[in-house]
Amino acid sequence: MKSTTDNRYILHPVWDPLLRALHWWMALAMMAQFTSGATLLALGNDMSDTLMGKIDIIHYVGGYAFAAGL
């Protein structure tokens, strides 16, 4: 007779590693988009053109990275 306190589990992979990597790729791209966009929106007029250009590049690269993940 099988014991009711037998707690052996069989591990089954739920998500493919490629799908996990793609999920985190898109999550990081979205965070880059959000933070750079919010920074540009909130501080855009008070920043120097050089800093604004660098944050713009981060925003563009984040958008292309997100599109590549799609």
Side-chain angles (χ1 to χ4, degrees):
M1 181 170 187
K2 195 171 185 176
S3 171
T4 58
T5 60
D6 189 13
N7 290 333
R8 285 182 279 166
Y9 293 101
I10 299 172
L11 296 176
H12 296 284
V14 177
W15 303 108
D16 185 35
L18 181 62
L19 186 61
R20 282 182 192 252
L22 182 64
H23 170 262
W24 286 108
W25 172 273
M26 293 182 72
L28 289 173
M30 284 176 55
M31 285 192 296
Q33 283 285 100
F34 179 77
T35 55
S36 62
T39 303
L40 287 171
L41 186 63
L43 304 174
N45 294 334
D46 299 332
M47 286 190 289
S48 68
D49 289 340
T50 306
L51 181 60
M52 190 182 218
K54 289 181 181 182
I55 294 175
D56 251 351
I57 290 172
I58 293 171
H59 193 72
Y60 296 149
V61 169
Y64 282 121
F66 186 80
L70 287 177

